[in-house]
Amino acid sequence: MAIAIYPGSFDPVTLGHMDVAMRAAKVFDKVYFGVYSKPHKDMLFDQTERIEMAKQAFAHVDNIEVCGYSGLTVDFAKEVGATVMVRGLRVSADFEYEFDMSMMTKKLSPELNMICFMANPEYQFLSSSLLKEIASLGGDVRPWVPEVVWKALKKKYIAK
Ligand code: ADP
């Protein structure tokens, strides 16, 4: 059974992340969508909120399981028995970051392979930070996030 993890901060999950996860779910038997607890950047949503939103977004997909983790991503992969780490590539800047990450991952856990999915052109320009910025200024980001995330963003910003 081919098991993959798709780790990230997902603050919040966007249709770009979902597109990658759903394609991965067609390739692998099981995908663990791992929501990292403490990335080295400021989060708008805490881990529990990010997990809950992702759970609702993927509720209709049988072989995607959303879970939180902290610590090293390679340890999370070991815990769930994954041999593949999925990431998404939007532009060349992503490549440099993901390449360094894959080199380090290989050192830490030689048996874990990284597989990158090219972004869907429709979502290539999407990032959580851009969407948060637009939402914070009162913009409508509904076309690019699941309904649950739109509601949460409205609560954080617009309802204020
Ligand atoms: P990070 O894990 O670096 O904090 P994110 O949680 O935003 O970043 O993203 C997790 C993964 O999804 C990364 O590999 C990122 O490149 C990828 N990703 C982010 N947005 C998109 C998108 N719109 N299309 C495809 N992949 C994406």
Side-chain angles (χ1 to χ4, degrees):
M1 176 147 145
I3 300 176
I5 54 164
Y6 179 20
S9 41
F10 306 116
D11 182 45
V13 62
T14 71
L15 294 195
H17 297 131
M18 287 184 68
D19 183 81
V20 168
M22 312 271 255
R23 280 190 282 150
K26 288 190 178 137
V27 175
F28 303 107
D29 298 303
K30 174 103 187 181
V31 176
Y32 288 92
F33 190 86
V35 180
Y36 185 46
S37 69
K38 280 187 203 142
H40 299 287
K41 49 187 185 183
D42 292 334
M43 295 284 116
L44 175 65
F45 296 101
D46 66 29
Q47 190 189 26
T48 311
E49 291 173 312
R50 285 179 279 134
I51 290 172
E52 192 44 46
M53 287 186 280
K55 275 192 175 162
Q56 289 191 38
F58 291 115
H60 62 295
V61 192
D62 284 347
N63 63 337
I64 296 181
E65 185 171 329
V66 175
C67 40
Y69 77 99
S70 52
L72 286 173
T73 300
V74 292
D75 291 338
F76 168 55
K78 270 185 204 135
E79 243 167 65
V80 298
T83 52
V84 171
M85 170 161 100
V86 166
R87 296 280 287 176
L89 287 182
R90 286 160 296 185
V91 287
S92 52
D94 276 349
F95 174 77
E96 293 192 6
Y97 178 75
E98 302 297 351
F99 187 79
D100 287 351
M101 174 112 101
S102 82
M103 292 294 115
M104 184 51 81
T105 300
K106 216 54 214 138
K107 295 275 177 215
L108 294 172
S109 181
E111 66 282 4
L112 184 63
N113 285 301
M114 186 196 247
I115 295 187
C116 289
F117 283 70
M118 299 301 147
N120 180 329
E122 223 174 294
Y123 303 129
Q124 197 182 5
F125 62 96
L126 277 193
S127 68
S128 298
S129 44
L130 181 60
L131 292 182
K132 282 183 283 189
E133 192 177 337
I134 296 169
S136 74
L137 297 169
D140 184 353
V141 298
R142 259 176 298 188
W144 307 295
V145 293
E147 181 67 19
V148 60
V149 168
W150 168 240
K151 283 186 185 153
L153 285 170
K154 262 201 312 197
K155 232 186 195 169
K156 288 262 182 208
Y157 292 127
I158 301 164
K160 266 183 194 165

